[in-house]
C-alpha cells in the first residue's frame, strides 16, 4: 500500500465517520420538515458548502493555531482521540452528540429564515470532531501533494453528505430507523478504533520526546 493510498483511507474513514451523514439524516429531516423539496435541496447544498469552507479554512490554519498557542500535534492528537472516542460511544448508543446539535438549536431552526449556515452547516456537518480531524491530518502532511489529497477527501465526503441529505427521505423509508441506527453503530465502532490509535500515536510521540527514544 502506497503512502497516498494509506493517507486517503485514513482521512476518508476519519472525516466521513466523524461527520456521520447517514446518522444525521433523521436530525436533518426534523430540521427541514416544514420546507418543500426544492427548498430542502437548497438548504442541503448551502449547508454542505458552508461546512466545506469551514473545514478547508481550519485545515489551512491548523499549523498557525498550533504555533500561536504552542500546541504540539501530539497533544492535539490525544485531545482529539478523547473527543472522537466520546463521539463514538454516543454513535454506538445511536445518539447525536450535544456538541453537534442541541434541542434548542433544532427548535430555533424552524423559525429562522435561513438555517443552512447554522445549525446544519455548523455544527451539524462541520462539528468539533470534523474540525479537529482536518487540523490534525493537515498538520501531519507537510507535502503539498498530501494536502491536496486531503482537500480532495474533504470535497468527496461533503459531496457524499449532500447526496445522502438529498436522499434522506428515501433512506429513511428504505432502511427504517433501525437500519440507520445499525449503520451508525458500526461507524461509531470504527471511530472508537481510530480514536484509540490517535491517542496511542500521541502518547507514543510524547514518551519518545521525554526519554529521547
Amino acid at each position: 500500500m502506497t503512502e497516498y493510498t494509506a493517507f486517503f483511507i485514513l482521512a476518508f474513514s476519519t472525516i466521513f465517520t466523524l461527520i456521520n451523514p447517514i446518522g444525521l439524516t433523521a436530525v436533518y429531516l426534523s430540521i427541514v420538515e416544514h420546507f418543500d423539496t426544492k427548498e430542502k435541496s437548497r438548504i442541503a447544498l448551502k449547508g454542505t458548502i458552508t461546512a466545506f469552507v469551514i473545514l478547508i479554512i481550519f485545515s489551512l490554519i491548523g499549523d498557525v493555531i498550533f504555533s500561536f498557542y504552542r500546541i504540539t500535534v501530539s497533544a492535539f492528537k490525544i485531545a482529539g482521540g478523547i473527543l472522537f472516542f466520546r463521539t463514538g460511544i454516543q454513535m454506538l448508543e445511536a445518539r447525536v452528540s450535544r456538541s453537534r446539535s442541541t434541542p434548542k438549536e433544532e427548535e430555533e431552526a424552524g423559525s429562522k429564515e435561513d438555517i443552512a449556515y447554522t445549525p446544519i452547516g455548523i455544527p451539524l456537518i462541520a462539528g468539533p470532531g470534523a474540525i479537529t480531524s482536518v487540523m490534525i491530518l493537515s498538520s501531519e502532511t507537510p507535502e503539498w501533494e498530501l494536502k491536496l489529497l486531503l482537500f480532495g477527501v474533504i470535497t468527496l465526503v461533503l459531496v457524499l453528505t449532500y447526496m445522502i441529505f438529498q436522499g434522506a427521505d428515501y433512506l429513511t423509508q428504505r432502511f427504517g430507523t433501525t437500519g440507520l441506527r445499525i449503520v451508525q453503530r458500526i461507524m461509531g465502532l470504527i471511530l472508537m478504533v481510530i480514536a484509540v490509535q490517535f491517542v496511542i500515536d500521541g502518547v507514543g510521540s510524547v514518551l519518545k520526546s521525554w526519554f529521547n527514544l
Side-chain angles (χ1 to χ4, degrees):
M1 184 182 295
T2 66
E3 178 186 7
Y4 298 105
T5 303
F7 180 77
F8 173 84
I9 294 174
L10 173 64
F12 179 83
S13 59
T14 302
I15 298 173
F16 185 83
T17 306
L18 280 166
I19 292 178
N20 186 25
I22 298 176
L24 292 179
T25 52
V27 180
Y28 167 74
L29 288 175
S30 69
I31 294 175
V32 301
E33 62 180 344
H34 300 299
F35 297 93
D36 57 32
T37 303
K38 183 177 180 180
E39 193 68 14
K40 286 180 181 178
S41 178
R42 186 186 69 85
I43 291 172
L45 179 61
K46 292 180 70 175
T48 50
I49 290 176
T50 300
F52 172 80
V53 172
I54 294 299
L55 293 180
I56 291 295
I57 289 175
F58 274 96
S59 68
L60 291 172
I61 67 173
D63 290 333
V64 176
I65 294 176
F66 291 156
S67 176
F68 182 79
Y69 290 103
R70 297 182 179 179
I71 301 172
T72 64
V73 176
S74 299
F76 213 74
K77 267 191 163 186
I78 295 171
I82 295 172
L83 174 63
F84 299 166
F85 194 85
R86 177 175 175 270
T87 303
I89 291 176
Q90 292 173 331
M91 291 170 66
L92 278 176
E93 297 174 349
R95 293 188 290 117
V96 177
S97 171
R98 290 298 297 271
S99 64
R100 301 282 294 278
S101 177
T102 65
K104 184 177 181 181
E105 287 174 332
E106 293 179 28
E107 182 180 350
E108 290 178 348
S111 61
K112 288 184 179 179
E113 182 178 357
D114 194 340
I115 61 173
Y117 303 116
T118 179
I120 292 178
I122 311 170
L124 198 62
I125 301 175
I131 292 173
T132 301
S133 68
V134 298
M135 289 175 65
I136 293 174
L137 291 168
S138 178
S139 297
E140 293 194 319
T141 55
E143 303 89 350
W144 65 269
E145 295 94 344
L146 289 177
K147 287 190 181 295
L148 288 178
L149 182 57
L150 176 60
F151 297 157
V153 169
I154 294 173
T155 303
L156 175 60
V157 170
L158 290 177
V159 168
L160 291 174
T161 299
Y162 171 71
M163 294 172 64
I164 289 171
F165 280 3
Q166 280 283 78
D169 290 309
Y170 173 79
L171 287 174
T172 303
Q173 294 173 1
R174 179 71 176 176
F175 299 102
T177 303
T178 302
L180 293 177
R181 284 180 177 175
I182 290 174
V183 174
Q184 182 173 345
R185 287 189 173 102
I186 293 173
M187 294 176 67
L189 180 60
I190 295 172
L191 179 58
M192 290 173 68
V193 174
I194 294 173
V196 171
Q197 188 61 56
F198 268 45
V199 173
I200 290 173
D201 292 344
V203 172
S205 298
V206 172
L207 292 177
K208 286 180 180 179
S209 64
W210 282 356
F211 298 103
N212 296 318
L213 299 178

